[in-house]
Amino acid sequence: NPVNEYVVRIDFLNDHDPYCNYTGMLTVKDTSKVQLNFSPVQLTLDLANLPIPLTQNSSFLPETLYVIVPDAFSDSDLAAAATVSGIMGRTANANVQVELIKSSQATTQLLQKSNAVVIGRPDNNTFLQNLYSQSGLPTTYSGGTFYNKSTGKPIGKDDGILQITPSPLSPYNTMLIISGGSDVAIQRAANSLAIESIGQEGYLSVV
C-alpha cells in the first residue's frame, strides 16, 4: 500500500469542556502509535448509491477495486472496463485503486477482502458463470438470453444490465455486474454509470 500522511488534532478537555484553559505538552515519540478500532458492517446494496458501497465514502484506508473481464476479452469489454475505471476514479471520494484482471485471475485469496466489478456474459466470463451457478442474482441466463427473475420476462439483446450483489466470498464486500446480450449492451450499461440521474435503484437496472 502507498504511504499516506494525515493530520491528527489533539484537544485537551475537562469534563467535555473545550474551553478548559489547560496548557499541556504532548510528546510524540518515534515509538508512538495510533490505533484505530473499527468493525465492518453489512452494507445496504442499492444501485442508487453508487459508487458506494463499491468504494467507501470519505475513507482514508487504501482499497483496491478489481475489474474482472473475460480471459478472451473483446475490445468492447476493455472499453467498458476503461469507462468504469474512469468513472470510479472521478466519483469515488475514497483512497481507491482500480485494477484490471482476467476471470482466471479472480481467485478467492485476491477477492475475499475486496469489491469487484464483473464485465461480460456467463458464456465468456467464467467468474460470472460461477456467480450465476449460485443463483443469487436478480437475473437468469439461458440460451444466450438474460431473464428478469422477478418477472420471468426476457431482457432485450441490446439492453444494458446492471446488477449489484453481495460478494459470495465475504458479506462485507460487493460486486457490480455489467452485462448484456451484446457488445452494444455491455457498453451501454457501463456508460450509464456516468449519468447521475438515471433513476437506478435496487439490485437490478436495465438501460
Side-chain angles (χ1 to χ4, degrees), residues 8-207:
V8 178
R9 173 176 169 174
I10 306 295
D11 291 327
F12 293 100
L13 302 179
N14 180 21
D15 292 331
H16 305 289
D17 178 9
Y19 306 104
C20 60
N21 296 320
Y22 174 76
T23 301
M25 178 177 293
L26 174 67
T27 302
V28 179
K29 301 181 179 180
D30 291 340
T31 56
S32 297
K33 297 180 181 179
V34 175
Q35 181 172 323
L36 302 176
N37 297 318
F38 65 93
S39 299
V41 296
Q42 292 183 330
L43 300 174
T44 300
L45 301 184
D46 192 334
L47 289 168
N49 296 331
L50 290 176
I52 300 171
L54 286 176
T55 62
Q56 301 302 307
N57 188 32
S58 302
S59 174
F60 61 84
L61 298 174
E63 55 184 313
T64 300
L65 175 66
Y66 291 99
V67 178
I68 305 170
V69 297
D71 280 5
F73 52 79
S74 65
D75 290 342
S76 178
D77 294 327
L78 288 183
T83 298
V84 171
S85 298
I87 292 170
M88 291 300 170
R90 292 194 306 270
T91 60
N93 184 22
N95 184 10
V96 60
Q97 175 182 336
V98 181
E99 184 172 332
L100 180 70
I101 61 174
K102 297 179 181 179
S103 56
S104 60
Q105 298 172 312
T107 62
T108 299
Q109 182 178 4
L110 192 66
L111 297 175
Q112 62 184 352
K113 294 183 179 180
S114 297
N115 299 317
V117 177
V118 188
I119 295 175
R121 296 183 298 274
D123 56 10
N124 67 4
N125 187 319
T126 54
F127 185 85
L128 183 55
Q129 185 180 73
N130 290 334
L131 289 182
Y132 269 92
S133 68
Q134 299 175 42
S135 303
L137 297 175
T139 65
T140 59
Y141 185 76
S142 177
T145 301
F146 289 92
Y147 294 84
N148 187 322
K149 187 181 291 185
S150 65
T151 65
K153 294 182 178 180
I155 297 173
K157 180 178 179 181
D158 289 334
D159 289 338
I161 302 171
L162 292 177
Q163 303 173 85
I164 192 167
T165 183
S167 169
L169 305 175
S170 168
Y172 306 115
N173 292 107
T174 306
M175 292 190 175
L176 174 68
I177 297 157
I178 297 177
S179 196
S182 65
D183 289 346
V184 171
I186 291 174
Q187 190 61 56
R188 179 175 291 169
N191 290 340
S192 72
L193 294 174
I195 305 174
E196 295 182 1
S197 57
I198 57 176
Q200 294 173 0
E201 62 180 354
Y203 295 96
L204 171 66
S205 178
V206 179
V207 295

